[in-house]
């Protein structure tokens, strides 16, 4: 239980660092673009611009909520204990593993199809998707070898 | 002789548990048992209904909580 409390504290510290770093990076890069120290050569469509804003602010909001949850957990012993039991619950872990496995298989199949379709339409997108596909395959192979040695 | 209440049968593996009966005998709720063995009520429900097979550590904890050998709480039969 104490280890769990320490891990929550560590998580909160990491989340705070990530929150302020993300915020600072946006301000610094924005200032560099405004003062023309780093010329902004990006060609954004309106859709891409809005999407990147949503991702950025969405991520900040998520971090804010995560920090708030960690603080709430550390302040309330009963909720902390409940979360501790839930985090170690084998059925939940089993379900999560199963969901992750199925999601990965579906994601891989969709990525494979998308790569094939991209090869017919746009070579830049095709090369990006091939790189992602290769990364996923290598990552899976490395993890397979690592886990087989570990267990 | 205890009657076997819950049955799990999948892929030739056949298990039965007497958790529900043991729990009722001691007038315990699923929540009480879950707290005692450090798991969630949902897990106890799934084990009792035969939707999920408990891991060895959890099976040992449940059996010890009831003061019974694991074989009496979880009955395992492989019919290949």
């Amino acid at each position: 239980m104490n280890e769990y409390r320490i891990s929550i504290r560590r998580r909160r510290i990491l989340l705070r660092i990530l929150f302020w770093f993300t915020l600072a990076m946006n301000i610094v890069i924005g200032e560099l673009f405004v003062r023309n120290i780093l010329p902004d050569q990006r060609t954004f469509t309106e859709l891409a611009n809005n999407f990147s804003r949503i991702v950025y602010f969405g991520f900040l909001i998520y971090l804010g909520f995560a920090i708030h949850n960690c603080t709430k957990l550390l302040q309330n012993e009963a909720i902390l204990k409940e979360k501790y039991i839930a985090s170690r619950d084998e059925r939940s872990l089993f379900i999560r593993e199963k969901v992750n496995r199925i999601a990965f298989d579906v994601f891989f199949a969709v990525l494979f199809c998308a790569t094939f379709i991209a090869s017919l339409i746009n070579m830049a997108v095709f090369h990006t998707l091939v790189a992602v596909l290769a990364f996923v395959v290598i990552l899976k192979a490395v993890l397979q070898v690592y886990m087989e040695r570990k267990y | 002789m205890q009657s076997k209440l819950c049955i799990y049968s999948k892929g030739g593996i056949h298990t039965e548990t007497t958790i529900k009966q043991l729990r009722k005998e001691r007038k315990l709720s699923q929540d009480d048992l879950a707290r005692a063995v450090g798991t969630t009520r949902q897990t106890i429900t799934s084990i009792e209904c035969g939707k999920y097979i408990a891991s060895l550590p959890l099976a040992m904890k449940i059996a010890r909580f009831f003061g019974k050998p694991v074989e009496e709480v979880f009955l395992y039969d492989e019919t290949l």
Side-chain angles (χ1 to χ4, degrees), chain B residues 22 26 33 36-37 56-70 73-74:
Chain B
L22 290 165
R26 285 160 179 77
L33 177 60
V37 296
L56 186 59
L58 183 58
M60 298 279 277
K61 274 187 194 172
I62 292 169
R64 276 184 191 163
F65 175 77
F66 288 122
K68 303 255 176 199
V70 179
V73 183
F74 297 91

Side-chain angles (χ1 to χ4, degrees), chain A residues 85-86 88-91 94, chain B residues 39-40 42-43 46 52 55 58:
Chain A
I85 290 170
R88 285 163 50 105
D89 179 45
E90 61 175 52
R91 182 176 155 272
F94 169 76
Chain B
T39 190
T40 58
Q42 288 90 338
T43 302
S46 292
Y52 175 72
S55 69
L58 183 58

Side-chain angles (χ1 to χ4, degrees), chain A residues 23 26 51-63:
Chain A
L23 207 62
N26 191 41
F51 185 73
S52 71
R53 274 166 204 261
I54 289 167
V55 168
Y56 175 77
F57 288 109
F59 185 60
L60 274 186
I61 290 166
Y62 162 76
L63 286 176

Side-chain angles (χ1 to χ4, degrees), chain B:
Chain B
M1 181 74 184
Q2 288 171 332
S3 63
K4 289 103 192 180
L5 292 167
C6 294
I7 299 164
Y8 179 92
S9 193
K10 192 178 179 184
I13 298 167
H14 185 77
T15 58
E16 297 173 2
T17 77
T18 54
I19 294 173
K20 197 170 182 179
Q21 190 183 349
L22 290 165
R23 196 169 52 75
K24 296 266 174 188
E25 279 171 11
R26 285 160 179 77
K27 291 185 177 128
L28 290 166
S29 67
Q30 288 180 333
D31 210 31
D32 296 332
L33 177 60
R35 279 172 202 272
V37 296
T39 190
T40 58
R41 188 188 54 77
Q42 288 90 338
T43 302
I44 299 296
T45 309
S46 292
I47 294 169
E48 282 189 1
C49 295
K51 284 182 187 171
Y52 175 72
I53 300 178
S55 69
L56 186 59
L58 183 58
M60 298 279 277
K61 274 187 194 172
I62 292 169
R64 276 184 191 163
F65 175 77
F66 288 122
K68 303 255 176 199
V70 179
E71 301 93 306
E72 265 186 45
V73 183
F74 297 91
L75 299 105
Y76 176 77
D77 179 32
E78 199 171 12
T79 49
L80 290 171

